[in-house]
Amino acid sequence: LVPRVFAAVPRAQFRFSRAMTKLAAPIARQEPREVIFGAVEGENRGSNPMKNVVKRNDPWFWLRDDDRKSEEILGHLRSENAFTEQEVAHLRPLMDKLYDEHISHLKETDDQAPYRSGDWFYYTRTVKGLSYKFHCRKPAGAGLHVPAEDASEQVLLDENKVAEGKPQCVVQGVRPCPDHKLLGYSVDFKGDETYAVRFLNLASDEYLPDQLDGVTGAVVWGTTSDWVFYRTQDEAKRSYKLWRHKMGQNQEEDVCLFTEADELFDVHHGKTKSGRVLVLV
């Protein structure tokens, strides 16, 4: 593939881009760090870790930053990104060509198949030129399996507005409550797969004071709109605790219903189709 990529770029253009190079390749400093593979006292290394441990030196271990707050590491990554942009600048026409070809095979403005919940049909749709989805609903008529053609659309959540001003945005777990008056969803603005759950009043289009921070992306309502069930993670990003939140209360008052102590397992939850039973797996 490499010869084909360079063949698509005029030779003169390639020589020019190399001659104009200004940034030097960023080289991360090395810092000796011993990493142990196998059984370590006081640590869970699996059900049958190696008894004869293997030790290796990892001079770039310091580049690990689970909190994404180290300015030294972030600065190095920004330098790497800038250097990469410089080195592949001559491939930009080819990148644009491949992107346009990919997009040409997609239906950018499209509605997803609706599903019925109570007296409503819920669905998502996309619009050409916009990066994120719209979450919508239409009223269901008696005996209809699809929304009536003249049914008016209500936009419940515009992910494009949620993402405004953010470097990245992932929205998950968009769920209406049992009486369809509230909407719950989770959002991650950092890319670390840790979410915040927010609640929207669908009549007033205003956010409720309730907000659940540091959780996974799943939002599961109880049998009424008074309760929400969610999960939290440990330091290894393992989903291991199930919580119950009462709407109107602070998150600090929430009740932990289950903790998976075994580090080899994680926890997931959901409701049965009837909406009456909470399933924990």
Side-chain angles (χ1 to χ4, degrees):
L1 292 178
V2 174
R4 293 184 180 179
V5 170
F6 283 101
V9 181
R11 187 181 301 272
Q13 181 181 345
F14 176 70
R15 288 201 303 267
F16 177 78
S17 65
R18 297 292 296 179
M20 294 298 292
T21 298
K22 296 180 180 180
L23 299 177
I27 306 299
R29 62 178 173 81
Q30 297 188 35
E31 182 178 297
R33 171 65 180 259
E34 187 177 72
V35 179
I36 300 176
F37 298 87
V40 177
E41 185 176 356
E43 294 185 16
N44 187 343
R45 293 295 183 99
S47 59
N48 188 28
M50 295 185 298
K51 294 182 180 179
N52 297 323
V53 300
V54 177
K55 299 180 180 180
R56 292 286 186 267
N57 178 48
D58 183 359
W60 295 285
F61 187 89
W62 69 272
L63 284 168
R64 174 170 180 169
D65 178 24
D66 293 336
D67 294 329
R68 277 82 168 169
K69 293 181 179 179
S70 170
E71 279 304 318
E72 181 181 8
I73 296 175
L74 293 174
H76 178 77
L77 293 177
R78 284 191 286 265
S79 296
E80 286 189 338
N81 289 339
F83 179 76
T84 300
E85 286 295 322
Q86 170 187 269
E87 292 300 293
V88 301
H90 63 284
L91 297 176
R92 180 56 60 187
L94 178 59
M95 294 179 189
D96 294 340
K97 180 180 178 181
L98 292 174
Y99 176 79
D100 292 339
E101 180 180 350
H102 172 71
I103 292 297
S104 69
H105 296 285
L106 300 178
K107 187 177 181 181
E108 294 186 72
T109 299
D110 195 15
D111 292 2
Q112 298 299 308
Y115 70 92
R116 183 163 183 169
S117 178
D119 296 329
W120 298 91
F121 277 99
Y122 290 86
Y123 60 97
T124 62
R125 61 180 176 85
T126 54
V127 176
K128 183 177 180 178
L130 297 180
S131 300
Y132 298 95
K133 299 177 182 177
F134 292 85
H135 295 263
C136 312
R137 71 180 179 184
K138 290 182 178 181
L144 292 178
H145 298 287
V146 294
E149 292 185 2
D150 59 348
S152 59
E153 177 186 82
Q154 180 182 2
V155 176
L156 308 178
L157 182 69
D158 179 359
E159 292 186 15
N160 298 279
K161 289 185 177 180
V162 176
E164 283 182 357
K166 306 296 182 180
Q168 84 107 43
C169 176
V170 177
V171 174
Q172 288 192 359
V174 182
R175 298 288 184 273
C177 68
D179 64 9
H180 303 276
K181 295 180 179 180
L182 305 176
L183 186 78
Y185 70 91
S186 58
V187 61
D188 168 21
F189 292 127
K190 296 188 297 182
D192 61 355
E193 298 184 357
T194 299
Y195 294 77
V197 178
R198 307 189 68 185
F199 301 95
L200 189 63
N201 185 316
L202 296 179
S204 63
D205 199 31
E206 295 179 350
Y207 282 99
L208 276 64
D210 298 73
Q211 180 165 316
L212 309 176
D213 295 314
V215 306
T216 66
V219 179
V220 178
W221 292 92
T223 54
T224 69
S225 304
D226 298 322
W227 304 96
V228 173
F229 299 89
Y230 64 94
R231 306 188 310 271
T232 55
Q233 304 166 318
D234 62 11
E235 293 182 355
K237 298 294 183 181
R238 178 179 66 97
S239 174
Y240 79 121
K241 283 189 176 184
L242 176 69
W243 298 82
R244 182 183 66 196
H245 172 72
K246 181 173 176 59
M247 297 297 292
Q249 290 187 348
N250 294 324
Q251 186 176 359
E252 292 75 15
E253 302 177 62
D254 292 352
V255 178
C256 181
L257 302 179
F258 179 81
T259 300
E260 177 53 75
D262 192 332
E263 295 180 2
L264 298 181
F265 294 90
D266 55 11
V267 171
H268 298 271
H269 73 302
K271 283 199 301 185
T272 58
K273 189 175 181 180
S274 67
R276 299 172 58 188
V277 179
L278 183 71
V279 180
L280 182 67
V281 295

